[in-house]
């Protein structure tokens, strides 16, 4: 029996006008469906007493992996916006969605053959080679602007080497011949290209990559199994592929499952390998080829920014901190060299496209580096005050860092400020292509900056340093300042094309959720009606964005139950 209220309105607990689509879904641009079956009333049956509580929920069978489709976008509840930091009741943990399926062989050639067969079953009308090259195209356009860590020509060659031998026609039986995968270098290359495909597929919307969730699972399983075959050697003799593979595994796991634990473990391995290679020293790159050194340089700064992000959000302790290095941090910023990262033969890369993207990437890294340093200095200054030490020197240092941070976006490049075409010329495909890349980069930089602004303000409140930094400690003034930051953040969300938010994955969702938690706190602590009204308007807009992004991490939070003592 169909529900008398549409699915989205039922989740949001708002009145539905029962039209198709209903007015609420039209306003929020949600997919309106009436599929929910009314739950039966009455008490639920209790399980038999002799049944063990840890086995009440059976793990998903191997045949069920990957066959269920993602739900239509929905609006998360208020509780989903808050990242809980409290203990939870013991609950049954279901089988993780990404496990090694029975069909995957432990032999390299078997991993390849099973991957080709799985992709053919998922997308019977497309060749696997076309899908791999499509992943590379999408990476360069949407992910390279915030993560310029590949040499395009090298990856194109790998895609051709491993996925274009003995082409089969779409819809026919698999006839690709397994390439030579006996040497470690071949296993590395295969794990590298399939890891990239998994990371790309995990963030792409369906209209850019059909069956993206199933393709993520297949490519990620193949890459993880292949890495496992030479993992010990890889840990002893790491190179750029060692870092990239783990970085992409982390991204694919986080974006497709919402499981932060496994994602952080993979990323943690990459940061430790960066320490092992001493990538923080410029001299360490002299022994590598120009392409390898450029890749390692970009990868280190990407990991460095991710580490600062984790420390700022207090997700985990920082690993890539200069105090933990055996030498000074002398690594230079990533810059265009004689060997560019992008394929210069492509028409879309004209007009200094790569130079501009690298300049934006440097600004992104400065935002996270300076913001992370500022938060650490706030904590250190507060500790010195508490211990009764003379903190004048630290306060001067803190103030200087704060002023440098607040002036960061004054240096926003011109091409990230205006996206309008020259009125005297018609818009070309090249301009449209580059504009989408610049939108991704601007959205990432600006939402990160505004989120860090809020984090800095929250840390000043937590550690009692507002007045020391010249800020008012009055509740109304602080709440007003928070709403100004949130307003700027929401404006950036509205300005960027939605796909540019979608391709940033769970990192974008995390920023929105944190901002939403701050707005929710204002509605519950401030008595001023004008401030509450502004907060409620902004809160609704953030909820709508979360619903459209359809986050896996939000699903995880929704399925978690808080501790009974604080319900």
């Amino acid at each position: 029996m169909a529900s008398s209220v549409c699915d989205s309105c039922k989740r949001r607990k708002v009145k539905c006008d029962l039209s198709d689509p209903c007015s609420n879904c039209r306003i929020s641009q949600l997919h309106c469906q009436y599929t929910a079956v009314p739950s039966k009333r009455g008490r639920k049956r209790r399980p038999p007493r002799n049944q063990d509580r840890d086995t009440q929920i059976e793990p998903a069978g191997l045949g069920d992996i990957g066959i269920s489709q993602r739900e239509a976008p929905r609006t998360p509840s208020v509780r989903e916006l808050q990242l809980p930091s409290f203990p939870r009741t013991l609950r049954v943990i279901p089988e993780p969605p990404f496990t090694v399926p029975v069909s995957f062989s432990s032999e390299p050639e078997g991993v390849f053959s099973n991957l080709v067969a799985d992709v053919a079953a998922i997308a019977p009308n497309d060749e696997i080679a076309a899908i791999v090259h499509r992943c590379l195209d999408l990476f360069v356009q949407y992910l390279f602007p915030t993560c310029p860590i590949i040499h395009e020509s090298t990856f194109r060659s790998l895609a051709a080497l491993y996925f274009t031998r003995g082409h089969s026609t779409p819809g026919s039986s698999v006839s690709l011949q397994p390439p030579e995968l006996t040497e470690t270098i071949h296993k590395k290359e295969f794990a590298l290209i399939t890891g990239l495909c998994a990371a790309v597929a995990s963030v792409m919307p369906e209209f850019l990559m059909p069956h993206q969730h199933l393709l993520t699972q297949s490519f990620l399983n193949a890459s993880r199994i292949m890495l496992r075959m030479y993992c010990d050697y890889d840990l002893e003799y790491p190179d750029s592929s060692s870092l990239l593979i783990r970085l992409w595994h982390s991204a694919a796991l986080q974006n497709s499952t919402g499981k932060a634990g496994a994602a952080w473990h993979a990323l943690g391995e990459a940061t430790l390998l960066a320490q092992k290679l001493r990538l923080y020293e410029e001299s360490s790159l002299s022994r590598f080829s120009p392409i390898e050194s450029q890749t390692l340089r970009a990868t280190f700064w990407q990991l460095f920014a991710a580490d600062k992000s984790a420390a700022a959000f207090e997700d985990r302790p920082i690993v890539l901190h200069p105090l933990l290095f055996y030498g000074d941090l002398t690594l230079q910023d990533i810059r265009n060299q004689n060997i560019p990262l992008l394929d210069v033969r492509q028409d879309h890369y004209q007009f200094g496209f790569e130079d501009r993207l690298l300049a934006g990437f440097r600004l992104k890294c400065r935002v996270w580096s300076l913001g992370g340093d500022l938060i650490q200095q706030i904590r250190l200054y507060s500790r010195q005050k508490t211990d009764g030490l003379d903190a004048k020197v630290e306060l001067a240092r803190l103030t200087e860092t704060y002023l440098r941070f607040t002036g960061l976006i004054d240096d926003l490049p011109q091409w990230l400020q205006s996206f309008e075409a020259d009125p005297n010329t018609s818009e070309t495909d090249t301009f449209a292509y580059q504009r989408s890349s610049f939108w991704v980069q601007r959205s990432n930089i600006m939402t990160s900056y505004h989120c860090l602004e809020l984090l800095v303000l929250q840390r000043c409140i937590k550690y009692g340093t507002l007045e020391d930094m010249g800020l008012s400690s009055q509740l109304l003034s602080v709440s007003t300042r928070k709403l100004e930051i949130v307003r700027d953040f929401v404006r950036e969300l509205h300005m960027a094309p939605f796909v540019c938010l979608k391709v940033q994955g769970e990192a974008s969702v995390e920023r929105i959720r944190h901002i939403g938690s701050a707005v929710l706190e204002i509605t519950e602590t401030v008595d001023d009606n004008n401030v509450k009204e502004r907060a409620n308007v902004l809160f609704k807009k953030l909820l709508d964005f979360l619903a459209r992004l359809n986050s896996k991490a939000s699903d995880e939070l929704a399925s978690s139950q808080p501790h009974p003592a604080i319900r």
Side-chain angles (χ1 to χ4, degrees):
M1 181 176 63
S3 174
S4 59
V5 180
C6 82
D7 299 351
S8 296
C9 289
K10 184 176 181 180
R11 291 191 185 96
R12 300 166 73 178
K13 297 183 179 179
V14 296
K15 186 175 181 180
C16 181
D17 60 12
L18 305 182
S19 58
D20 189 13
C22 72
S23 59
N24 293 330
C25 290
R26 285 198 304 271
I27 294 173
S28 300
Q29 299 181 7
L30 299 176
H31 184 55
C32 189
Q33 284 186 320
Y34 294 81
T35 60
V37 178
S39 58
K40 294 182 180 180
R41 298 183 179 273
R43 299 179 61 182
K44 297 181 179 180
R45 294 182 57 190
R46 298 180 63 181
R49 291 189 176 183
N50 59 351
Q51 183 178 1
D52 183 61
R53 293 181 62 88
D54 292 334
T55 59
Q56 288 181 16
I57 299 179
E58 295 182 1
L62 294 176
D64 298 329
I65 294 177
I67 61 174
S68 60
Q69 299 295 326
R70 297 182 69 173
E71 296 181 1
R74 64 183 183 80
T75 301
S77 64
V78 169
R79 181 168 58 80
E80 292 176 48
L81 274 173
Q82 298 173 296
L83 291 175
S85 58
F86 43 75
R88 303 184 182 279
T89 55
L90 293 177
R91 59 189 178 92
V92 178
I93 305 299
E95 184 76 10
F98 284 102
T99 56
V100 180
V102 173
S103 61
F104 272 81
S105 170
S106 59
E107 296 297 326
E109 292 76 12
V111 174
F112 172 85
S113 299
N114 287 323
L115 171 64
V116 174
D118 276 9
V119 172
I122 295 169
N125 295 325
D126 296 312
E127 293 181 352
I128 189 171
I131 293 175
V132 172
H133 281 286
R134 176 64 174 160
C135 288
L136 283 169
D137 293 338
L138 293 171
F139 183 94
V140 173
Q141 185 174 7
Y142 291 108
L143 303 187
F144 188 89
T146 59
C147 195
I149 55 177
I150 71 167
H151 182 251
E152 184 181 5
S153 297
T154 298
F155 277 79
R156 298 283 183 191
S157 300
L158 293 180
L161 175 65
Y162 290 101
F163 295 105
T164 58
R165 299 185 179 187
H167 268 300
S168 59
T169 58
S172 65
S173 59
V174 178
S175 63
L176 277 172
Q177 298 300 318
E180 183 64 42
L181 291 169
T182 55
E183 300 293 333
T184 299
I185 182 63
H186 301 143
K187 296 183 179 72
K188 279 188 176 184
E189 292 171 346
F190 182 85
L192 189 64
I193 189 67
T194 51
L196 178 142
C197 292
V200 171
S202 69
V203 295
M204 288 301 147
E206 192 75 14
F207 75 90
L208 285 178
M209 178 164 287
H211 319 293
Q212 53 91 17
H213 182 64
L214 299 177
L215 290 173
T216 300
Q217 176 183 336
S218 295
F219 281 112
L220 180 58
N221 277 327
S223 184
R224 295 177 78 187
I225 294 169
M226 193 65 76
L227 173 62
R228 198 176 305 155
M229 295 181 186
Y230 69 93
C231 185
D232 291 344
Y233 176 89
D234 196 50
L235 295 174
E236 290 294 331
Y237 307 101
D239 56 16
S240 64
S241 70
S242 310
L243 278 63
L244 292 179
I245 291 169
R246 288 166 174 82
L247 193 152
W248 286 329
H249 287 180
S250 174
L253 284 166
Q254 179 74 8
N255 295 324
S256 294
T257 68
K259 310 281 187 184
W264 277 126
H265 181 78
L267 192 64
E269 284 190 0
T271 56
L272 291 176
L273 289 176
Q275 284 270 31
K276 177 182 175 66
L277 289 168
R278 301 175 71 99
L279 296 183
Y280 46 84
E281 294 179 334
E282 181 67 28
S283 58
S284 298
L285 301 184
S286 59
R287 65 181 186 272
F288 299 107
S289 67
I291 293 176
E292 178 76 355
S293 64
Q294 183 78 324
T295 303
L296 287 169
R297 185 188 309 277
T299 305
F300 174 84
W301 288 120
Q302 176 68 21
L303 291 170
F304 191 77
D307 211 44
K308 291 284 188 178
S309 171
F313 282 104
E314 297 183 349
D315 289 332
R316 62 174 175 83
I318 195 167
V319 177
L320 294 178
H321 192 283
L323 294 177
L324 302 177
F325 299 156
Y326 291 114
D328 295 330
L329 177 57
T330 59
L331 186 69
Q332 298 178 5
D333 292 334
I334 179 173
R335 300 182 186 277
N336 200 10
Q337 297 181 342
N338 295 329
I339 302 179
L341 293 174
L342 297 179
D343 187 350
V344 294
R345 296 170 296 180
Q346 300 291 330
D347 294 336
H348 293 325
Y349 307 156
Q350 300 174 5
F351 315 118
F353 180 56
E354 181 175 336
D355 289 344
R356 292 182 172 186
L357 291 181
L358 295 185
F361 177 72
R362 291 194 295 272
L363 177 57
K364 166 202 162 179
C365 291
R366 285 202 301 274
V367 165
W368 281 110
S369 178
L370 204 54
D373 288 344
L374 180 57
I375 290 173
Q376 292 175 23
Q377 289 177 21
I378 292 171
R379 188 182 300 117
L380 178 60
Y381 172 69
S382 171
R383 191 175 301 165
Q384 289 183 343
K385 282 181 56 180
T386 303
D387 295 340
L389 301 177
D390 186 4
K392 291 182 179 179
V393 175
E394 188 61 34
L395 177 59
R397 195 163 150 258
L398 174 61
T399 304
E400 180 185 359
T401 305
Y402 178 72
L403 293 175
R404 287 171 56 204
F405 175 76
T406 56
L408 270 176
I409 58 174
D410 296 340
D411 296 331
L412 195 68
Q414 185 274 333
W415 58 86
L416 295 180
Q417 298 182 34
S418 175
F419 297 91
E420 299 298 327
D422 188 341
N424 299 320
T425 60
S426 59
E427 179 170 309
T428 62
D429 291 340
T430 297
F431 178 82
Y433 180 95
Q434 294 188 7
R435 180 172 57 185
S436 64
S437 297
F438 291 142
W439 264 122
V440 172
Q441 197 171 67
R442 178 197 165 97
S443 172
N444 182 277
I445 292 172
M446 296 304 295
T447 57
S448 297
Y449 176 80
H450 292 313
C451 192
L452 279 168
E453 269 191 308
L454 183 62
L455 279 168
V456 168
L457 185 59
Q458 290 174 322
R459 297 299 180 267
C460 287
I461 297 170
K462 178 179 178 180
Y463 295 108
T465 60
L466 281 171
E467 294 181 352
D468 294 315
M469 298 180 65
L471 302 174
S472 174
S473 59
Q474 296 295 322
L475 177 61
L476 186 59
S477 298
V478 170
S479 299
T480 302
R481 177 57 187 147
K482 285 182 179 180
L483 288 180
E484 290 173 355
I485 296 173
V486 174
R487 179 197 59 200
D488 294 339
F489 181 88
V490 172
R491 184 172 63 242
E492 289 295 332
L493 296 182
H494 280 291
M495 286 174 57
F498 183 73
V499 65
C500 296
L501 300 175
K502 178 68 175 175
V503 297
Q504 295 179 53
E506 289 294 332
S508 178
V509 173
E510 173 73 10
R511 292 192 287 269
I512 296 174
R513 191 184 297 113
H514 184 83
I515 294 287
S517 297
V519 179
L520 181 61
E521 182 183 7
I522 292 175
T523 63
E524 296 177 346
T525 57
V526 178
D527 295 329
D528 187 276
N529 291 331
N530 291 326
V531 172
K532 278 192 173 184
E533 184 177 353
R534 287 180 59 192
N536 284 325
V537 170
L538 293 170
F539 186 71
K540 181 179 181 300
K541 292 179 179 180
L542 292 167
L543 279 177
D544 288 340
F545 274 103
L546 277 182
R548 294 170 62 192
L549 287 170
N550 199 22
S551 163
K552 283 291 184 182
S554 294
D555 293 342
E556 283 294 303
L557 288 175
S559 64
S560 303
Q561 294 298 324
H563 194 276
I566 58 174
R567 273 184 185 165

